[in-house]
């Protein structure tokens, strides 16, 4: 499977460079978040296969992790980077920025690239798509990385439960 998950579409998420880095590769994007018209136009002009999803539930996000094989999160900045840990939990290969906090969050379980380098993004993606052993090692390292965050993942699950309860009242 060459399905790539992108979560978030704000400017700092760097979607244009991630898409540009995939040109000519056999991939499909599942993009969560409202796409700007210029990005949508670029995807269509380049005949890139994609689906776009907006206002989805937590259950749907879980299904996206299950049906994709790669998380691309080559942001120019992030507050924390929870999708990296979620992707590692579901066994996705992660390609992310070589800046903090992504470097610390992902541990050894990701390919790190410069967010402004389309060539590095492309090289990283190419390596994931064409080197199964490397990809499997990256996925294993991602699973091991989760051990550093066990308590935090439990706290995040409780937070979601509490928010659901509060939203029902």
């Amino acid at each position: 499977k060459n399905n790539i998950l992108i979560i978030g579409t704000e400017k700092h998420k760097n979607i244009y460079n991630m898409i540009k880095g995939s040109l000519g590769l056999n991939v499909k994007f599942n993009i969560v978040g409202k796409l700007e018209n210029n990005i949508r136009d670029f995807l269509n002009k380049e005949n890139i296969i994609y689906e776009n999803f907006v206002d989805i539930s937590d259950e749907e996000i879980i299904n996206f992790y299950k049906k994709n094989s790669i998380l691309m999160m080559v942001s120019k900045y992030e507050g924390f980077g929870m999708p990296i840990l979620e992707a590692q939990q579901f066994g996705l290969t992660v390609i992310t920025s070589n800046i903090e906090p992504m470097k610390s969050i992902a541990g050894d379980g990701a390919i790190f690239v410069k967010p402004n380098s389309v060539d590095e993004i492309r090289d990283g993606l190419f390596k994931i798509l064409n080197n199964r052993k490397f990809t499997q090692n990256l996925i294993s390292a991602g699973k091991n990385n989760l051990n550093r965050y066990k308590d935090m993942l439990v706290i995040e699950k409780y937070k979601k439960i509490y928010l659901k309860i509060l939203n029902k009242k």
Side-chain angles (χ1 to χ4, degrees):
K1 291 188 333 184
N2 297 334
N3 293 337
I4 299 174
L5 178 62
I6 295 177
I7 298 177
T9 55
E10 297 84 10
K11 282 262 192 241
H12 71 278
K13 295 292 187 177
N14 201 27
I15 290 185
Y16 180 75
N17 282 349
M18 288 189 284
I19 293 167
K20 198 168 179 188
S22 76
L23 292 178
L25 300 175
N26 181 25
V27 298
K28 175 191 175 197
F29 284 99
N30 288 298
I31 303 170
V32 177
K34 187 173 192 255
L35 285 173
E36 293 181 11
N37 288 336
N38 64 327
I39 298 292
R40 190 179 301 278
D41 292 344
F42 180 70
L43 286 160
N44 292 329
K45 177 182 159 245
E46 296 296 335
N47 295 315
I48 296 171
I49 301 167
Y50 75 97
E51 289 186 70
N52 183 220
F53 305 90
V54 180
D55 297 326
I56 62 174
S57 68
D58 289 343
E59 291 80 21
E60 288 170 305
I61 285 283
I62 289 169
N63 286 329
F64 283 119
Y65 282 117
K66 289 179 181 176
K67 75 178 194 179
N68 287 274
S69 55
I70 301 166
L71 172 74
M72 283 188 83
M73 190 171 166
V74 188
S75 304
K76 294 183 179 182
Y77 67 87
E78 285 293 333
F80 180 77
M82 185 61 81
I84 292 170
L85 297 178
E86 292 170 342
Q88 289 175 336
Q89 184 177 12
F90 284 96
L92 277 73
T93 309
V94 175
I95 181 167
T96 192
S97 302
N98 66 348
I99 58 176
E100 294 300 341
M102 285 77 81
K103 281 174 52 176
S104 295
I105 299 303
D108 294 330
I111 288 184
F112 299 100
V113 298
K114 294 176 188 164
N116 291 322
S117 175
V118 172
D119 289 338
E120 281 193 25
I121 294 169
R122 181 177 186 71
D123 291 347
L125 188 54
F126 187 83
K127 193 169 186 180
I128 290 170
L129 296 173
N130 292 295
N131 188 333
R132 184 173 292 287
K133 184 175 179 171
F134 173 78
T135 300
Q136 289 304 320
N137 288 338
L138 214 53
I139 291 169
S140 293
K143 293 270 188 191
N144 289 335
N145 182 54
L146 290 172
N147 292 326
R148 299 186 307 142
Y149 296 96
K150 281 184 180 176
D151 292 339
M152 191 179 74
L153 293 173
V154 171
I155 290 168
E156 186 65 25
K157 287 179 184 178
Y158 276 113
K159 178 182 165 189
K160 286 180 182 181
I161 291 169
Y162 291 137
L163 289 173
K164 280 183 182 180
I165 291 169
L166 291 173
N167 286 333
K168 288 183 181 181
K169 292 186 176 189

